[in-house]
Amino acid sequence: MLRKGGLDMFEQVKLDYGNDGLEPVIDTATVETHYGKHHALYTKNLNDAAEKAGVADKDIEKLLASLDDVKDEALRKAIRNNGGGYYNHNLYFSTLSSAGNNVPEGELKDKIDAKFGSFDKLKEELTTLALGQFGSGWAWLSVNPAGELMTSNSPNQDNPISEGTGFIPIVAIDVWEHAYYLKYKNLRADYVAKLFDILDWKKIGENYKRITGA
């Protein structure tokens, strides 16, 4: 988050690649539109709603986990939708890279093998969840502080935190049409298959360590 004018405000994750940095999997125009417009608007709307609700000083994960504390129904809905959009996209964009770190390592690899049988089996499960999400939404790999892994999918801008699961996502697969339609049209399966080529498992592993304290 970024401090402005005495208030803690939510800030888009800074990309460590250019708009063309995910080519050819994700095209430049999609990054420009998805990050530069969709994500930017979620961030702005979250900041507006959080300030009105008096919760702009909260950590985003804690805020999404305690939405019922926002008593105003309209503000609660705005924070759920825009806070989810902000958080989900921060995770999505921060775990993409063309650096080639596309296989898990260390403790996270061991946990994946134990839970799913293999990394390939995990990819199959995430693919099934991403393709099975009707309409707009997400597929997730999440972990809880005890190091247990979970896959799931969510509609709209919900996620395992706002759904009250006790798990925190470390992989986000965006299946809103704006994430892939400019390049892949209606071929969601082609987009999801290619996305695994640019998931940065070094960064995902860092998320795992942050949550588990490993």
Side-chain angles (χ1 to χ4, degrees), residues 123-195:
K123 290 195 290 185
E124 289 175 12
E125 193 161 322
L126 285 172
T127 298
T128 297
L129 288 165
L131 301 186
Q133 175 56 48
F134 181 77
S136 301
W138 300 78
W140 310 102
L141 174 65
S142 303
V143 65
N144 67 13
E148 299 169 319
L149 297 175
M150 176 185 77
T151 56
S152 62
N153 55 12
S154 304
N156 304 316
Q157 295 296 354
D158 289 348
N159 59 46
I161 302 172
S162 60
E163 292 165 341
T165 65
F167 282 74
I168 300 173
I170 57 175
V171 173
I173 299 179
D174 189 346
V175 291
W176 281 64
E177 288 182 347
H178 62 240
Y180 61 89
Y181 226 73
L182 290 179
K183 181 176 178 69
Y184 296 93
K185 307 304 180 187
N186 63 320
L187 302 177
R188 181 188 287 188
D190 289 357
Y191 155 74
V192 172
K194 290 291 187 181
L195 194 68

Side-chain angles (χ1 to χ4, degrees), residues 1-206:
M1 291 190 291
L2 176 70
R3 180 169 289 279
K4 290 182 179 178
L7 290 176
D8 284 317
M9 302 293 280
F10 300 98
E11 185 181 34
Q12 277 182 278
V13 66
K14 301 300 183 186
L15 303 184
D16 56 9
Y17 47 84
N19 289 336
D20 62 349
L22 302 178
E23 293 272 11
V25 175
I26 299 178
D27 57 294
T28 301
T30 294
V31 175
E32 290 173 346
T33 304
H34 194 184
Y35 176 82
K37 298 184 184 299
H38 287 281
H39 188 198
L41 185 58
Y42 283 124
T43 304
K44 177 185 182 302
N45 289 343
L46 169 62
N47 279 315
D48 291 346
E51 186 171 359
K52 290 176 184 176
V55 294
D57 60 340
K58 272 200 168 186
D59 173 84
I60 186 60
E61 290 178 359
K62 293 179 180 177
L63 179 56
L64 292 175
S66 59
L67 287 168
D68 288 343
D69 292 345
V70 179
K71 300 307 179 185
D72 183 284
E73 183 177 354
L75 288 175
R76 183 169 63 251
K77 182 177 181 181
I79 292 171
R80 184 183 189 105
N81 291 335
N82 292 287
Y86 162 81
Y87 178 88
N88 297 350
H89 285 95
N90 263 10
L91 178 61
Y92 174 78
F93 284 113
S94 69
T95 53
L96 299 180
S97 169
S98 58
N101 301 310
N102 54 7
V103 293
E105 297 180 343
E107 182 176 326
L108 178 55
K109 178 186 183 301
D110 294 340
K111 291 283 188 176
I112 288 170
D113 290 344
K115 173 71 175 181
F116 303 102
S118 68
F119 180 46
D120 284 340
K121 291 292 185 183
L122 169 63
K123 290 195 290 185
E124 289 175 12
E125 193 161 322
L126 285 172
T127 298
T128 297
L129 288 165
L131 301 186
Q133 175 56 48
F134 181 77
S136 301
W138 300 78
W140 310 102
L141 174 65
S142 303
V143 65
N144 67 13
E148 299 169 319
L149 297 175
M150 176 185 77
T151 56
S152 62
N153 55 12
S154 304
N156 304 316
Q157 295 296 354
D158 289 348
N159 59 46
I161 302 172
S162 60
E163 292 165 341
T165 65
F167 282 74
I168 300 173
I170 57 175
V171 173
I173 299 179
D174 189 346
V175 291
W176 281 64
E177 288 182 347
H178 62 240
Y180 61 89
Y181 226 73
L182 290 179
K183 181 176 178 69
Y184 296 93
K185 307 304 180 187
N186 63 320
L187 302 177
R188 181 188 287 188
D190 289 357
Y191 155 74
V192 172
K194 290 291 187 181
L195 194 68
F196 285 105
D197 292 341
I198 57 171
L199 280 178
D200 190 329
W201 284 90
K202 181 179 179 181
K203 296 178 180 178
I204 294 163
E206 291 169 358

